[in-house]
Amino acid sequence: MNDLAPLLTPEGRALLDEVRDTDPAQELAVATRLRREHPAELVSAALGQARLRQRAVVKFGAEDAGRMFFTPNGVEQSTRASVAAYRARRMADLGITSVADLCCGIGGDAIALARAGIRVLAVDRDPQTAAAARANADALGLAGLVEVREADVTEVDTAGFDAVFVDPARRGGRGRIFDPEAYSPPLSWAVSAARRAPRAAALKIAPGIPHEAVPEDAEAEWISDGGDVKEAVLWFGTEPGAVRATLLPGPRTLLSRGLPDPAVRPPGRYLYEPDGAVIRAHLVAEVADRVGGGLLDATIAYVTAAALHPTPYATAYEITDHLPFNVKKLKALLRERRVGTLTVKKRGSAVEPEELRRKVKPQGPHAATVFLTRVAGAPAMLIGHPA
């Protein structure tokens, strides 16, 4: 299943087209039928690739995913196409015309860079992964701009390229790796490679990286797509020391102004829930300043304000009730207001949303949102609805 070569033959490609929309529940019947005319290994490989393509639609869209080739790890670890396209646009706007894409995986970022008109050397040491990247460049008509090389990235000469992009492996045999020096290659090596780039460089890292681990000469950017935090990027050759949160689609970018932490204040009429990228970038103070608000609690990223000031960097809710945490009181209030659709959000609370729903048993035609949090250190419930 991991060998793509049979799938790249005319017989393999025809078989891929035939099994493209196979329902997982029908795989056994389809496989039994196809094995009468095709080698069993090829049928298994085609059905496995069809499953991977179906999973990849959420990242690459149906059109591209239906033509691309994937490995199981490649689907999980590849960059979402919208994020890769945004980063490629930034590269193009910087005047970059060639990029060495190190640890290229199945080629998601290389594809985006090539579509932005940038020449790419895509490097990965895993033979099957490199084969998938090569097949993808060819399948999407980008082979003229993308050279794929199977090699150890630490041994590749990048001197002939304007920029370097490094996406170190952040998963090992035991799952996700949190220590940047345990990345493959280590973050320190990637930073060194970035500093040698003639024009600019970008390093893709986990969004949970401690701010103190960000080099002083790097710009740090946290990116979310549709409200979900996807990654952090260290940029070199752009704005050293800058910190930004970028929200896709858009893009919309919030830059740090070095504001002090907002003051804690009593709950106002509106609660603002900052986007995850804003929180990761430590830019809650910038949001509070935009909406004229403060914090419900010094340790929690909920902003409260008296007035509604719509902002793309936070979701606003109108708060109707503020109560000390008490399940019985919440249940009575929801019953009185005939709330059947209850959205539970929590920050700074040990209570699980599903557990709370089971206890209050919401019923009725109306909807509400409850925030389980702390107000000035005390457990509290705030009830409201999107503003």
Side-chain angles (χ1 to χ4, degrees):
M1 180 175 168
N2 288 328
D3 186 2
L4 293 177
L7 295 176
L8 300 176
T9 64
E11 181 183 11
R13 291 179 183 275
L15 197 55
L16 277 173
D17 288 339
E18 187 170 350
V19 302
R20 179 190 199 106
D21 299 316
T22 300
D23 186 328
Q26 300 299 317
E27 272 195 12
L28 181 57
V30 171
T32 300
R33 175 176 58 82
L34 292 175
R35 283 170 181 162
R36 297 175 190 141
E37 301 175 6
H38 304 279
E41 294 80 3
L42 182 59
V43 172
S44 295
L47 286 169
Q49 191 61 223
R51 284 197 302 271
L52 294 175
R53 285 177 168 183
Q54 290 167 6
R55 287 168 52 196
V57 168
V58 68
K59 282 190 173 183
F60 292 93
E63 184 176 351
D64 280 355
R67 293 186 288 166
M68 292 172 67
F69 294 85
F70 299 95
T71 65
N73 285 340
V75 173
E76 296 296 331
Q77 299 178 22
S78 57
T79 303
R80 183 180 288 259
S82 54
V83 178
Y86 160 73
R87 184 164 41 242
R89 287 196 300 271
R90 273 205 75 179
M91 288 275 195
D93 290 344
L94 290 169
I96 301 300
T97 60
S98 60
V99 172
D101 178 2
L102 308 181
C103 308
C104 68
I106 55 93
D109 283 282
I111 289 165
L113 289 164
R115 283 176 166 169
I118 296 171
R119 179 172 60 88
V120 186
L121 170 64
V123 183
D124 203 284
R125 68 181 179 183
D126 179 72
Q128 299 305 326
T129 303
R134 190 175 294 110
N136 289 335
D138 182 64
L140 300 179
L142 300 169
L145 282 171
V146 180
E147 175 194 347
V148 179
R149 189 179 302 173
E150 180 191 329
D152 185 330
V153 297
T154 63
E155 299 174 357
V156 173
D157 182 7
T158 62
F161 295 85
D162 291 343
V164 167
F165 172 66
V166 189
D167 182 5
R170 295 181 298 282
R171 288 183 182 271
R174 296 184 178 180
R176 190 167 294 171
I177 297 171
F178 296 97
D179 177 9
E181 283 308 294
Y183 292 174
S184 180
L187 180 60
S188 57
W189 180 89
V191 169
S192 297
R195 287 171 174 158
R196 293 194 298 271
R199 298 281 299 278
L203 311 182
K204 178 180 171 181
I205 55 175
I209 186 171
H211 279 233
E212 56 268 23
V214 175
E216 292 184 359
D217 57 339
E219 170 197 329
E221 179 178 33
W222 280 261
I223 302 173
S224 68
D225 187 14
D228 295 328
V229 183
K230 293 302 176 185
E231 63 184 59
V233 184
L234 301 182
W235 291 89
F236 292 81
T238 54
E239 301 176 61
V243 175
R244 69 175 69 207
T246 296
L247 281 56
L248 303 176
R252 291 184 168 90
T253 295
L254 182 65
L255 276 168
S256 170
R257 293 186 284 132
L259 299 178
D261 292 339
V264 175
R265 63 172 65 175
R269 183 176 177 182
Y270 294 94
L271 180 149
Y272 293 84
E273 182 181 29
D275 182 272
V278 170
I279 295 172
R280 294 282 194 173
H282 295 181
L283 300 181
V284 174
E286 277 70 10
V287 167
D289 184 66
R290 281 172 171 257
V291 302
L295 296 179
L296 289 173
D297 184 273
T299 63
I300 295 176
Y302 281 145
V303 174
T304 184
L308 178 61
H309 296 285
T311 171
Y313 304 110
T315 303
Y317 295 83
E318 185 173 7
I319 300 302
T320 56
D321 300 89
H322 164 216
L323 304 170
F325 180 80
N326 186 301
V327 175
K328 288 184 178 180
K329 288 185 178 180
L330 176 63
K331 185 175 181 178
L333 185 147
L334 296 176
R335 185 187 302 118
E336 176 187 338
R337 297 185 183 170
R338 302 171 64 202
V339 171
T341 302
L342 182 66
T343 300
V344 181
K345 292 179 172 286
K346 70 165 198 166
R347 191 163 288 157
S349 172
V351 178
E352 292 300 326
E354 286 307 316
E355 176 189 353
L356 183 69
R357 283 195 192 90
R358 284 195 300 269
K359 289 182 177 179
V360 301
K361 300 175 182 176
Q363 293 181 349
H366 301 141
T369 300
V370 59
F371 293 87
L372 306 179
T373 186
R374 293 195 302 271
V375 172
M381 305 180 300
L382 279 73
I383 299 95
H385 52 81

